Amino acid sequence: MANTFYIVRHGQTNWNILGKTQGHGNSDLTVKGIEQATELAESLVKNHQIDYIFSSDLGRAVQTADILGKSLGVEVEKTPALREMGFGKWEGLLIDEIKSKYADVYTTWRNEPHLVEIPEGENLHIIKERVDKFINELNEKYDNKNILLVTHSVTVRVMLLSFLNSGMENIYRIKQDNTALNIVEFRNYGPVIIKMNDTTHIKNNEKINNSALE
């Protein structure tokens, strides 16, 4: 079980720019998002050997993964295991709309995210259980492979917290920008985070801080 995981958030989307909550809903990559994915692909080709690519089956992640897979010459396998957290009734809403319609729940999300129960949505513990199971399955199936995972902001953060044996209440202590690269090596004593939220591949980086996660 000595695999190395290259974990990537999808490129910028139209809803990212608008500040809408995405979850299982979908929004296509912007021109900038395609550019970010292309620049990441160039960096991966130059600096890393990737054996397998697994992507969330949500459109924005698939778009990103397809750009990476084409450049790397690796087929993309789609899986719901890497989906974003489902935000239920919040999906498609702006932060101000969420604050207005779901004030108490939003307060919990901001202050005690590990306790939040979003109407018709998932919680962080469901995501942790899902991604832990998937990582374990990959580690049982492969050995000494470089595995690229294309996923989403909350999902990446949950993975990293789980690798660190840290509680889900710390979700806001990790930042994940669009197409950020995280590298995690599994060693005989467990996972080691080598790189986190690396966006040095993006030539003209623009930060967006209008989502419910920032």
mmCIF file of all heavy atoms in Angstrom, residues 150-199:
data_model
loop_
_atom_site.group_PDB
_atom_site.id
_atom_site.type_symbol
_atom_site.label_atom_id
_atom_site.label_comp_id
_atom_site.label_asym_id
_atom_site.label_seq_id
_atom_site.Cartn_x
_atom_site.Cartn_y
_atom_site.Cartn_z
ATOM 1 N N VAL A 150 -9.897 13.495 -9.377
ATOM 2 C CA VAL A 150 -10.460 14.811 -9.698
ATOM 3 C C VAL A 150 -11.800 14.931 -8.990
ATOM 4 O O VAL A 150 -12.719 14.152 -9.239
ATOM 5 C CB VAL A 150 -10.632 14.993 -11.216
ATOM 6 C CG1 VAL A 150 -11.145 16.400 -11.520
ATOM 7 C CG2 VAL A 150 -9.310 14.741 -11.940
ATOM 8 N N THR A 151 -11.901 15.911 -8.107
ATOM 9 C CA THR A 151 -13.073 15.975 -7.239
ATOM 10 C C THR A 151 -13.447 17.425 -6.928
ATOM 11 O O THR A 151 -13.299 18.301 -7.779
ATOM 12 C CB THR A 151 -12.825 15.098 -5.987
ATOM 13 O OG1 THR A 151 -13.978 15.115 -5.155
ATOM 14 C CG2 THR A 151 -11.589 15.487 -5.225
ATOM 15 N N HIS A 152 -13.892 17.698 -5.709
ATOM 16 C CA HIS A 152 -14.525 18.975 -5.380
ATOM 17 C C HIS A 152 -13.996 19.536 -4.055
ATOM 18 O O HIS A 152 -13.365 18.830 -3.277
ATOM 19 C CB HIS A 152 -16.036 18.777 -5.284
ATOM 20 C CG HIS A 152 -16.633 18.144 -6.492
ATOM 21 N ND1 HIS A 152 -17.176 18.855 -7.537
ATOM 22 C CD2 HIS A 152 -16.756 16.823 -6.843
ATOM 23 C CE1 HIS A 152 -17.612 18.022 -8.475
ATOM 24 N NE2 HIS A 152 -17.368 16.792 -8.071
ATOM 25 N N SER A 153 -14.335 20.781 -3.803
ATOM 26 C CA SER A 153 -13.766 21.506 -2.661
ATOM 27 C C SER A 153 -13.993 20.817 -1.323
ATOM 28 O O SER A 153 -13.043 20.543 -0.579
ATOM 29 C CB SER A 153 -14.343 22.922 -2.613
ATOM 30 O OG SER A 153 -13.829 23.634 -1.519
ATOM 31 N N VAL A 154 -15.250 20.548 -0.974
ATOM 32 C CA VAL A 154 -15.529 19.918 0.322
ATOM 33 C C VAL A 154 -14.926 18.522 0.369
ATOM 34 O O VAL A 154 -14.315 18.118 1.360
ATOM 35 C CB VAL A 154 -17.041 19.864 0.608
ATOM 36 C CG1 VAL A 154 -17.316 19.055 1.874
ATOM 37 C CG2 VAL A 154 -17.614 21.260 0.759
ATOM 38 N N THR A 155 -15.068 17.784 -0.717
ATOM 39 C CA THR A 155 -14.580 16.409 -0.750
ATOM 40 C C THR A 155 -13.071 16.349 -0.540
ATOM 41 O O THR A 155 -12.573 15.505 0.214
ATOM 42 C CB THR A 155 -14.956 15.741 -2.086
ATOM 43 O OG1 THR A 155 -16.348 15.945 -2.331
ATOM 44 C CG2 THR A 155 -14.672 14.255 -2.049
ATOM 45 N N VAL A 156 -12.336 17.250 -1.174
ATOM 46 C CA VAL A 156 -10.878 17.294 -0.973
ATOM 47 C C VAL A 156 -10.550 17.591 0.474
ATOM 48 O O VAL A 156 -9.701 16.939 1.095
ATOM 49 C CB VAL A 156 -10.209 18.348 -1.873
ATOM 50 C CG1 VAL A 156 -8.711 18.424 -1.561
ATOM 51 C CG2 VAL A 156 -10.411 18.034 -3.340
ATOM 52 N N ARG A 157 -11.234 18.567 1.039
ATOM 53 C CA ARG A 157 -10.953 18.963 2.420
ATOM 54 C C ARG A 157 -11.228 17.811 3.394
ATOM 55 O O ARG A 157 -10.461 17.578 4.330
ATOM 56 C CB ARG A 157 -11.805 20.175 2.800
ATOM 57 C CG ARG A 157 -11.518 21.421 1.979
ATOM 58 C CD ARG A 157 -12.498 22.507 2.336
ATOM 59 N NE ARG A 157 -12.540 23.553 1.337
ATOM 60 C CZ ARG A 157 -12.688 24.842 1.612
ATOM 61 N NH1 ARG A 157 -12.808 25.239 2.862
ATOM 62 N NH2 ARG A 157 -12.731 25.730 0.650
ATOM 63 N N VAL A 158 -12.329 17.120 3.160
ATOM 64 C CA VAL A 158 -12.671 15.979 4.012
ATOM 65 C C VAL A 158 -11.584 14.905 3.905
ATOM 66 O O VAL A 158 -11.153 14.327 4.916
ATOM 67 C CB VAL A 158 -14.049 15.401 3.636
ATOM 68 C CG1 VAL A 158 -14.278 14.051 4.313
ATOM 69 C CG2 VAL A 158 -15.152 16.379 4.021
ATOM 70 N N MET A 159 -11.120 14.637 2.689
ATOM 71 C CA MET A 159 -10.043 13.664 2.500
ATOM 72 C C MET A 159 -8.807 14.046 3.301
ATOM 73 O O MET A 159 -8.230 13.218 4.015
ATOM 74 C CB MET A 159 -9.654 13.585 1.015
ATOM 75 C CG MET A 159 -10.549 12.762 0.150
ATOM 76 S SD MET A 159 -9.799 12.675 -1.499
ATOM 77 C CE MET A 159 -11.061 11.766 -2.357
ATOM 78 N N LEU A 160 -8.391 15.295 3.158
ATOM 79 C CA LEU A 160 -7.169 15.737 3.823
ATOM 80 C C LEU A 160 -7.307 15.692 5.342
ATOM 81 O O LEU A 160 -6.382 15.269 6.050
ATOM 82 C CB LEU A 160 -6.793 17.145 3.357
ATOM 83 C CG LEU A 160 -6.428 17.266 1.864
ATOM 84 C CD1 LEU A 160 -6.225 18.730 1.480
ATOM 85 C CD2 LEU A 160 -5.167 16.464 1.534
ATOM 86 N N LEU A 161 -8.461 16.094 5.861
ATOM 87 C CA LEU A 161 -8.687 16.010 7.305
ATOM 88 C C LEU A 161 -8.660 14.562 7.770
ATOM 89 O O LEU A 161 -8.103 14.248 8.826
ATOM 90 C CB LEU A 161 -10.026 16.651 7.671
ATOM 91 C CG LEU A 161 -10.108 18.179 7.586
ATOM 92 C CD1 LEU A 161 -11.537 18.651 7.812
ATOM 93 C CD2 LEU A 161 -9.158 18.839 8.579
ATOM 94 N N SER A 162 -9.238 13.679 6.977
ATOM 95 C CA SER A 162 -9.244 12.261 7.328
ATOM 96 C C SER A 162 -7.825 11.705 7.338
ATOM 97 O O SER A 162 -7.453 10.941 8.245
ATOM 98 C CB SER A 162 -10.116 11.480 6.341
ATOM 99 O OG SER A 162 -10.190 10.126 6.703
ATOM 100 N N PHE A 163 -7.015 12.075 6.343
ATOM 101 C CA PHE A 163 -5.620 11.623 6.304
ATOM 102 C C PHE A 163 -4.863 12.071 7.551
ATOM 103 O O PHE A 163 -3.961 11.385 8.027
ATOM 104 C CB PHE A 163 -4.909 12.181 5.070
ATOM 105 C CG PHE A 163 -5.416 11.633 3.758
ATOM 106 C CD1 PHE A 163 -5.395 12.413 2.613
ATOM 107 C CD2 PHE A 163 -5.915 10.340 3.660
ATOM 108 C CE1 PHE A 163 -5.846 11.925 1.400
ATOM 109 C CE2 PHE A 163 -6.375 9.845 2.452
ATOM 110 C CZ PHE A 163 -6.341 10.637 1.317
ATOM 111 N N LEU A 164 -5.232 13.237 8.080
ATOM 112 C CA LEU A 164 -4.559 13.796 9.253
ATOM 113 C C LEU A 164 -5.194 13.341 10.567
ATOM 114 O O LEU A 164 -4.773 13.768 11.643
ATOM 115 C CB LEU A 164 -4.598 15.327 9.187
ATOM 116 C CG LEU A 164 -3.776 15.976 8.074
ATOM 117 C CD1 LEU A 164 -4.131 17.459 7.943
ATOM 118 C CD2 LEU A 164 -2.290 15.806 8.332
ATOM 119 N N ASN A 165 -6.228 12.490 10.468
ATOM 120 C CA ASN A 165 -6.988 12.083 11.654
ATOM 121 C C ASN A 165 -7.542 13.292 12.400
ATOM 122 O O ASN A 165 -7.586 13.327 13.631
ATOM 123 C CB ASN A 165 -6.131 11.228 12.601
ATOM 124 C CG ASN A 165 -5.952 9.817 12.087
ATOM 125 O OD1 ASN A 165 -6.845 9.255 11.459
ATOM 126 N ND2 ASN A 165 -4.793 9.229 12.348
ATOM 127 N N SER A 166 -7.957 14.285 11.628
ATOM 128 C CA SER A 166 -8.499 15.515 12.207
ATOM 129 C C SER A 166 -10.015 15.523 12.083
ATOM 130 O O SER A 166 -10.582 14.932 11.153
ATOM 131 C CB SER A 166 -7.915 16.731 11.482
ATOM 132 O OG SER A 166 -8.430 17.933 12.018
ATOM 133 N N GLY A 167 -10.685 16.186 13.009
ATOM 134 C CA GLY A 167 -12.146 16.233 13.009
ATOM 135 C C GLY A 167 -12.712 17.091 11.902
ATOM 136 O O GLY A 167 -12.072 18.027 11.416
ATOM 137 N N MET A 168 -13.938 16.780 11.507
ATOM 138 C CA MET A 168 -14.606 17.518 10.435
ATOM 139 C C MET A 168 -14.923 18.960 10.820
ATOM 140 O O MET A 168 -15.214 19.784 9.963
ATOM 141 C CB MET A 168 -15.889 16.795 10.013
ATOM 142 C CG MET A 168 -15.654 15.424 9.399
ATOM 143 S SD MET A 168 -14.659 15.472 7.882
ATOM 144 C CE MET A 168 -13.080 14.813 8.489
ATOM 145 N N GLU A 169 -14.838 19.273 12.107
ATOM 146 C CA GLU A 169 -15.059 20.663 12.525
ATOM 147 C C GLU A 169 -13.978 21.603 11.983
ATOM 148 O O GLU A 169 -14.137 22.824 11.984
ATOM 149 C CB GLU A 169 -15.112 20.778 14.050
ATOM 150 C CG GLU A 169 -13.815 20.462 14.773
ATOM 151 C CD GLU A 169 -13.644 18.985 15.107
ATOM 152 O OE1 GLU A 169 -14.383 18.147 14.554
ATOM 153 O OE2 GLU A 169 -12.773 18.688 15.941
ATOM 154 N N ASN A 170 -12.887 21.031 11.469
ATOM 155 C CA ASN A 170 -11.778 21.836 10.954
ATOM 156 C C ASN A 170 -11.839 22.057 9.448
ATOM 157 O O ASN A 170 -10.847 22.440 8.833
ATOM 158 C CB ASN A 170 -10.448 21.164 11.319
ATOM 159 C CG ASN A 170 -10.218 21.153 12.815
ATOM 160 O OD1 ASN A 170 -10.461 22.141 13.498
ATOM 161 N ND2 ASN A 170 -9.766 20.024 13.338
ATOM 162 N N ILE A 171 -13.015 21.858 8.853
ATOM 163 C CA ILE A 171 -13.153 21.942 7.404
ATOM 164 C C ILE A 171 -12.696 23.287 6.843
ATOM 165 O O ILE A 171 -12.157 23.370 5.735
ATOM 166 C CB ILE A 171 -14.621 21.644 6.995
ATOM 167 C CG1 ILE A 171 -14.724 21.335 5.499
ATOM 168 C CG2 ILE A 171 -15.561 22.762 7.393
ATOM 169 C CD1 ILE A 171 -14.350 19.943 5.136
ATOM 170 N N TYR A 172 -12.884 24.361 7.604
ATOM 171 C CA TYR A 172 -12.519 25.696 7.111
ATOM 172 C C TYR A 172 -11.033 26.000 7.268
ATOM 173 O O TYR A 172 -10.558 27.025 6.792
ATOM 174 C CB TYR A 172 -13.330 26.775 7.829
ATOM 175 C CG TYR A 172 -14.806 26.726 7.511
ATOM 176 C CD1 TYR A 172 -15.731 26.340 8.485
ATOM 177 C CD2 TYR A 172 -15.282 27.054 6.244
ATOM 178 C CE1 TYR A 172 -17.085 26.277 8.200
ATOM 179 C CE2 TYR A 172 -16.630 26.998 5.951
ATOM 180 C CZ TYR A 172 -17.529 26.614 6.934
ATOM 181 O OH TYR A 172 -18.864 26.556 6.648
ATOM 182 N N ARG A 173 -10.302 25.137 7.927
ATOM 183 C CA ARG A 173 -8.869 25.362 8.134
ATOM 184 C C ARG A 173 -8.044 24.912 6.933
ATOM 185 O O ARG A 173 -6.824 25.061 6.931
ATOM 186 C CB ARG A 173 -8.406 24.649 9.398
ATOM 187 C CG ARG A 173 -9.087 25.221 10.637
ATOM 188 C CD ARG A 173 -8.622 24.554 11.918
ATOM 189 N NE ARG A 173 -9.341 25.120 13.042
ATOM 190 C CZ ARG A 173 -8.759 25.619 14.129
ATOM 191 N NH1 ARG A 173 -7.441 25.657 14.218
ATOM 192 N NH2 ARG A 173 -9.484 26.089 15.117
ATOM 193 N N ILE A 174 -8.707 24.346 5.944
ATOM 194 C CA ILE A 174 -8.037 23.936 4.711
ATOM 195 C C ILE A 174 -8.673 24.689 3.554
ATOM 196 O O ILE A 174 -9.896 24.733 3.437
ATOM 197 C CB ILE A 174 -8.180 22.412 4.477
ATOM 198 C CG1 ILE A 174 -7.421 21.652 5.566
ATOM 199 C CG2 ILE A 174 -7.663 22.027 3.089
ATOM 200 C CD1 ILE A 174 -7.569 20.157 5.482
ATOM 201 N N LYS A 175 -7.841 25.278 2.704
ATOM 202 C CA LYS A 175 -8.337 26.006 1.548
ATOM 203 C C LYS A 175 -8.081 25.198 0.287
ATOM 204 O O LYS A 175 -7.062 24.516 0.173
ATOM 205 C CB LYS A 175 -7.639 27.364 1.447
ATOM 206 C CG LYS A 175 -8.179 28.257 0.331
ATOM 207 C CD LYS A 175 -7.677 29.670 0.483
ATOM 208 C CE LYS A 175 -8.114 30.545 -0.676
ATOM 209 N NZ LYS A 175 -9.577 30.577 -0.856
ATOM 210 N N GLN A 176 -9.028 25.247 -0.639
ATOM 211 C CA GLN A 176 -8.878 24.552 -1.915
ATOM 212 C C GLN A 176 -9.343 25.443 -3.057
ATOM 213 O O GLN A 176 -10.531 25.691 -3.219
ATOM 214 C CB GLN A 176 -9.677 23.249 -1.914
ATOM 215 C CG GLN A 176 -9.038 22.138 -1.117
ATOM 216 C CD GLN A 176 -7.706 21.702 -1.672
ATOM 217 O OE1 GLN A 176 -7.610 21.271 -2.811
ATOM 218 N NE2 GLN A 176 -6.659 21.813 -0.864
ATOM 219 N N ASP A 177 -8.389 25.946 -3.830
ATOM 220 C CA ASP A 177 -8.714 26.767 -4.991
ATOM 221 C C ASP A 177 -8.989 25.874 -6.203
ATOM 222 O O ASP A 177 -8.680 24.679 -6.200
ATOM 223 C CB ASP A 177 -7.558 27.728 -5.286
ATOM 224 C CG ASP A 177 -7.370 28.759 -4.181
ATOM 225 O OD1 ASP A 177 -8.360 29.426 -3.839
ATOM 226 O OD2 ASP A 177 -6.251 28.882 -3.657
ATOM 227 N N ASN A 178 -9.561 26.455 -7.230
ATOM 228 C CA ASN A 178 -9.847 25.694 -8.447
ATOM 229 C C ASN A 178 -8.571 25.132 -9.055
ATOM 230 O O ASN A 178 -7.580 25.826 -9.206
ATOM 231 C CB ASN A 178 -10.549 26.578 -9.478
ATOM 232 C CG ASN A 178 -11.964 26.931 -9.066
ATOM 233 O OD1 ASN A 178 -12.278 28.091 -8.838
ATOM 234 N ND2 ASN A 178 -12.830 25.942 -8.974
ATOM 235 N N THR A 179 -8.597 23.860 -9.393
ATOM 236 C CA THR A 179 -7.492 23.034 -9.921
ATOM 237 C C THR A 179 -6.293 22.969 -8.989
ATOM 238 O O THR A 179 -5.191 22.633 -9.409
ATOM 239 C CB THR A 179 -7.031 23.451 -11.341
ATOM 240 O OG1 THR A 179 -6.415 24.735 -11.319
ATOM 241 C CG2 THR A 179 -8.178 23.398 -12.332
ATOM 242 N N ALA A 180 -6.507 23.245 -7.698
ATOM 243 C CA ALA A 180 -5.411 23.082 -6.728
ATOM 244 C C ALA A 180 -4.971 21.621 -6.702
ATOM 245 O O ALA A 180 -5.785 20.707 -6.784
ATOM 246 C CB ALA A 180 -5.876 23.505 -5.339
ATOM 247 N N LEU A 181 -3.659 21.424 -6.595
ATOM 248 C CA LEU A 181 -3.079 20.085 -6.543
ATOM 249 C C LEU A 181 -2.646 19.750 -5.123
ATOM 250 O O LEU A 181 -1.968 20.541 -4.468
ATOM 251 C CB LEU A 181 -1.870 19.999 -7.481
ATOM 252 C CG LEU A 181 -1.063 18.698 -7.445
ATOM 253 C CD1 LEU A 181 -1.905 17.520 -7.923
ATOM 254 C CD2 LEU A 181 0.211 18.836 -8.281
ATOM 255 N N ASN A 182 -3.051 18.576 -4.662
ATOM 256 C CA ASN A 182 -2.626 18.048 -3.366
ATOM 257 C C ASN A 182 -1.975 16.697 -3.625
ATOM 258 O O ASN A 182 -2.495 15.892 -4.401
ATOM 259 C CB ASN A 182 -3.822 17.858 -2.438
ATOM 260 C CG ASN A 182 -4.672 19.117 -2.327
ATOM 261 O OD1 ASN A 182 -4.437 19.966 -1.487
ATOM 262 N ND2 ASN A 182 -5.669 19.254 -3.211
ATOM 263 N N ILE A 183 -0.848 16.439 -2.987
ATOM 264 C CA ILE A 183 -0.158 15.166 -3.181
ATOM 265 C C ILE A 183 -0.033 14.458 -1.837
ATOM 266 O O ILE A 183 0.445 15.045 -0.858
ATOM 267 C CB ILE A 183 1.234 15.364 -3.810
ATOM 268 C CG1 ILE A 183 1.102 16.062 -5.172
ATOM 269 C CG2 ILE A 183 1.947 14.015 -3.972
ATOM 270 C CD1 ILE A 183 2.436 16.351 -5.843
ATOM 271 N N VAL A 184 -0.484 13.214 -1.799
ATOM 272 C CA VAL A 184 -0.466 12.432 -0.568
ATOM 273 C C VAL A 184 0.188 11.082 -0.847
ATOM 274 O O VAL A 184 -0.259 10.339 -1.720
ATOM 275 C CB VAL A 184 -1.896 12.214 -0.019
ATOM 276 C CG1 VAL A 184 -1.859 11.402 1.268
ATOM 277 C CG2 VAL A 184 -2.602 13.548 0.191
ATOM 278 N N GLU A 185 1.228 10.767 -0.084
ATOM 279 C CA GLU A 185 1.916 9.478 -0.208
ATOM 280 C C GLU A 185 1.481 8.561 0.928
ATOM 281 O O GLU A 185 1.486 8.967 2.096
ATOM 282 C CB GLU A 185 3.435 9.656 -0.135
ATOM 283 C CG GLU A 185 4.042 10.365 -1.318
ATOM 284 C CD GLU A 185 5.564 10.473 -1.195
ATOM 285 O OE1 GLU A 185 6.120 9.982 -0.177
ATOM 286 O OE2 GLU A 185 6.191 11.063 -2.091
ATOM 287 N N PHE A 186 1.105 7.350 0.575
ATOM 288 C CA PHE A 186 0.809 6.350 1.597
ATOM 289 C C PHE A 186 2.074 5.563 1.894
ATOM 290 O O PHE A 186 2.689 4.982 0.997
ATOM 291 C CB PHE A 186 -0.316 5.424 1.140
ATOM 292 C CG PHE A 186 -1.674 5.936 1.507
ATOM 293 C CD1 PHE A 186 -2.241 6.987 0.798
ATOM 294 C CD2 PHE A 186 -2.372 5.409 2.580
ATOM 295 C CE1 PHE A 186 -3.487 7.481 1.141
ATOM 296 C CE2 PHE A 186 -3.613 5.896 2.938
ATOM 297 C CZ PHE A 186 -4.176 6.941 2.217
ATOM 298 N N ARG A 187 2.462 5.561 3.155
ATOM 299 C CA ARG A 187 3.646 4.837 3.599
ATOM 300 C C ARG A 187 3.225 3.756 4.592
ATOM 301 O O ARG A 187 2.047 3.637 4.913
ATOM 302 C CB ARG A 187 4.644 5.821 4.221
ATOM 303 C CG ARG A 187 5.076 6.898 3.219
ATOM 304 C CD ARG A 187 6.021 7.908 3.798
ATOM 305 N NE ARG A 187 6.371 8.930 2.806
ATOM 306 C CZ ARG A 187 7.101 10.009 3.069
ATOM 307 N NH1 ARG A 187 7.559 10.221 4.302
ATOM 308 N NH2 ARG A 187 7.363 10.883 2.105
ATOM 309 N N ASN A 188 4.186 2.979 5.079
ATOM 310 C CA ASN A 188 3.817 1.858 5.952
ATOM 311 C C ASN A 188 3.200 2.314 7.271
ATOM 312 O O ASN A 188 2.524 1.538 7.945
ATOM 313 C CB ASN A 188 5.016 0.941 6.211
ATOM 314 C CG ASN A 188 6.189 1.674 6.824
ATOM 315 O OD1 ASN A 188 6.095 2.866 7.110
ATOM 316 N ND2 ASN A 188 7.284 0.976 7.003
ATOM 317 N N TYR A 189 3.378 3.572 7.633
ATOM 318 C CA TYR A 189 2.784 4.093 8.867
ATOM 319 C C TYR A 189 1.590 4.997 8.589
ATOM 320 O O TYR A 189 1.041 5.620 9.499
ATOM 321 C CB TYR A 189 3.836 4.851 9.690
ATOM 322 C CG TYR A 189 4.634 5.861 8.903
ATOM 323 C CD1 TYR A 189 4.161 7.155 8.689
ATOM 324 C CD2 TYR A 189 5.880 5.509 8.373
ATOM 325 C CE1 TYR A 189 4.896 8.066 7.964
ATOM 326 C CE2 TYR A 189 6.628 6.424 7.653
ATOM 327 C CZ TYR A 189 6.123 7.707 7.445
ATOM 328 O OH TYR A 189 6.869 8.615 6.712
ATOM 329 N N GLY A 190 1.180 5.093 7.316
ATOM 330 C CA GLY A 190 -0.012 5.876 7.000
ATOM 331 C C GLY A 190 0.230 6.952 5.962
ATOM 332 O O GLY A 190 1.323 7.058 5.393
ATOM 333 N N PRO A 191 -0.787 7.775 5.691
ATOM 334 C CA PRO A 191 -0.679 8.805 4.665
ATOM 335 C C PRO A 191 0.152 10.005 5.113
ATOM 336 O O PRO A 191 0.101 10.408 6.281
ATOM 337 C CB PRO A 191 -2.138 9.207 4.426
ATOM 338 C CG PRO A 191 -2.829 8.908 5.721
ATOM 339 C CD PRO A 191 -2.134 7.721 6.296
ATOM 340 N N VAL A 192 0.919 10.548 4.181
ATOM 341 C CA VAL A 192 1.739 11.738 4.430
ATOM 342 C C VAL A 192 1.394 12.779 3.374
ATOM 343 O O VAL A 192 1.492 12.512 2.162
ATOM 344 C CB VAL A 192 3.246 11.405 4.364
ATOM 345 C CG1 VAL A 192 4.083 12.674 4.564
ATOM 346 C CG2 VAL A 192 3.604 10.354 5.397
ATOM 347 N N ILE A 193 0.982 13.955 3.801
ATOM 348 C CA ILE A 193 0.645 15.021 2.861
ATOM 349 C C ILE A 193 1.926 15.733 2.426
ATOM 350 O O ILE A 193 2.623 16.335 3.238
ATOM 351 C CB ILE A 193 -0.350 16.013 3.489
ATOM 352 C CG1 ILE A 193 -1.669 15.294 3.793
ATOM 353 C CG2 ILE A 193 -0.594 17.199 2.551
ATOM 354 C CD1 ILE A 193 -2.693 16.132 4.514
ATOM 355 N N ILE A 194 2.217 15.630 1.142
ATOM 356 C CA ILE A 194 3.439 16.210 0.579
ATOM 357 C C ILE A 194 3.201 17.623 0.073
ATOM 358 O O ILE A 194 4.067 18.495 0.179
ATOM 359 C CB ILE A 194 3.954 15.330 -0.583
ATOM 360 C CG1 ILE A 194 4.116 13.874 -0.132
ATOM 361 C CG2 ILE A 194 5.254 15.876 -1.162
ATOM 362 C CD1 ILE A 194 5.104 13.688 0.994
ATOM 363 N N LYS A 195 2.018 17.843 -0.474
ATOM 364 C CA LYS A 195 1.703 19.152 -1.062
ATOM 365 C C LYS A 195 0.219 19.419 -0.867
ATOM 366 O O LYS A 195 -0.608 18.498 -0.948
ATOM 367 C CB LYS A 195 2.064 19.137 -2.544
ATOM 368 C CG LYS A 195 1.904 20.459 -3.266
ATOM 369 C CD LYS A 195 2.486 20.388 -4.684
ATOM 370 C CE LYS A 195 4.001 20.287 -4.644
ATOM 371 N NZ LYS A 195 4.600 20.450 -5.994
ATOM 372 N N MET A 196 -0.125 20.699 -0.614
ATOM 373 C CA MET A 196 -1.516 21.048 -0.380
ATOM 374 C C MET A 196 -1.862 22.376 -1.052
ATOM 375 O O MET A 196 -1.120 23.343 -0.942
ATOM 376 C CB MET A 196 -1.788 21.141 1.136
ATOM 377 C CG MET A 196 -3.262 21.349 1.495
ATOM 378 S SD MET A 196 -3.515 21.595 3.281
ATOM 379 C CE MET A 196 -3.015 19.997 3.916
ATOM 380 N N ASN A 197 -3.000 22.402 -1.755
ATOM 381 C CA ASN A 197 -3.529 23.607 -2.401
ATOM 382 C C ASN A 197 -2.480 24.315 -3.274
ATOM 383 O O ASN A 197 -2.376 25.534 -3.265
ATOM 384 C CB ASN A 197 -4.094 24.588 -1.361
ATOM 385 C CG ASN A 197 -5.027 25.617 -1.995
ATOM 386 O OD1 ASN A 197 -5.822 25.288 -2.869
ATOM 387 N ND2 ASN A 197 -4.924 26.861 -1.551
ATOM 388 N N ASP A 198 -1.752 23.532 -4.041
ATOM 389 C CA ASP A 198 -0.724 24.092 -4.925
ATOM 390 C C ASP A 198 -1.371 24.575 -6.228
ATOM 391 O O ASP A 198 -1.965 23.789 -6.974
ATOM 392 C CB ASP A 198 0.331 23.029 -5.229
ATOM 393 C CG ASP A 198 1.423 23.550 -6.155
ATOM 394 O OD1 ASP A 198 1.523 24.784 -6.327
ATOM 395 O OD2 ASP A 198 2.168 22.729 -6.708
ATOM 396 N N THR A 199 -1.263 25.869 -6.496
ATOM 397 C CA THR A 199 -1.805 26.441 -7.729
ATOM 398 C C THR A 199 -0.713 27.142 -8.541
ATOM 399 O O THR A 199 -1.003 28.034 -9.335
ATOM 400 C CB THR A 199 -2.938 27.447 -7.429
ATOM 401 O OG1 THR A 199 -2.433 28.482 -6.556
ATOM 402 C CG2 THR A 199 -4.123 26.768 -6.762
#
